[in-house]
Amino acid sequence: MERRGASFSGSLVYLLMNFPVGITAFMVLMALVPAGVGTAVVWVGLPVLMLALLLLKGGAKVERARAYALTDTFIAMPYLPLPDGGLGARWKVRLRDAQTWRDLVYFLLLFPVGVAEFCLLMGFWATSLGLVGLPIYFRYLPDGAWYFPRWDDVHWITVDSTVEALPWAALGVLCVALSVALTKAMASLHTRFAAALLGPTARRRELLEDDLVERELSVTSR
């Protein structure tokens, strides 16, 4: 649930973090899950898989906290309550909980999504800031001019004076405004993506509400 519009700075930091977080999560999961599954027949892989699931759940909690801290988007905890029984019963609930596998899907998708977001951000902001600063740095380029494209014999656009650079700088200011809007829009889309996989479904909300009511009734009846 998004309470209010996220700030530009928070949106930018959030999107830039998706790239390293996605790569790290993907590498950890690809290292632990196949190793755990491959050695599960000799019981060695079970602790590895248990560690992977614990890291997965912890990582999902961090992602919810990161979305709230940077974009002011609250994602409710969707997990079913664990039983009061032994360790085996608690792990059965974790494995049967569909949210565990939704968390896994989120982190597997975060890698390509984070790469795409990073490339879009770098492309838009490099172009925007490059145009804005053109009146300053063009004279320091080879031949003291900026060319587009920079092929040997093909120069559709040549900027070799401050007067010629000013219209491009004005275009760069417009591109900066568009980049700000794009950054906030991409952050909003990503939080929706995160909420869809890391947050409770409509059915899960009903189950959690029913469980809460039952717990309250049991407490008041004692």
Side-chain angles (χ1 to χ4, degrees), residues 100-130:
T100 299
W101 310 109
R102 288 162 59 85
D103 293 345
L104 177 62
V105 171
Y106 172 81
F107 281 109
L108 291 178
L109 292 178
L110 183 59
F111 173 48
V113 170
V115 170
E117 291 171 344
F118 184 81
C119 291
L120 284 174
L121 278 179
M122 291 300 101
F124 272 87
W125 280 105
T127 300
S128 302
L129 297 178

Side-chain angles (χ1 to χ4, degrees), residues 2 7 10 12 23 25 31 33 35 38 48 75-76 80 88 94 135 172 182 189 194 199 203 206 214 222:
E2 192 170 334
S7 66
L12 181 61
I23 291 179
V33 174
V48 177
I75 302 176
L80 293 174
R94 287 193 179 100
L182 175 71
L189 286 175
R203 176 57 180 165
E206 293 178 0
E214 291 179 2
R222 290 178 180 177

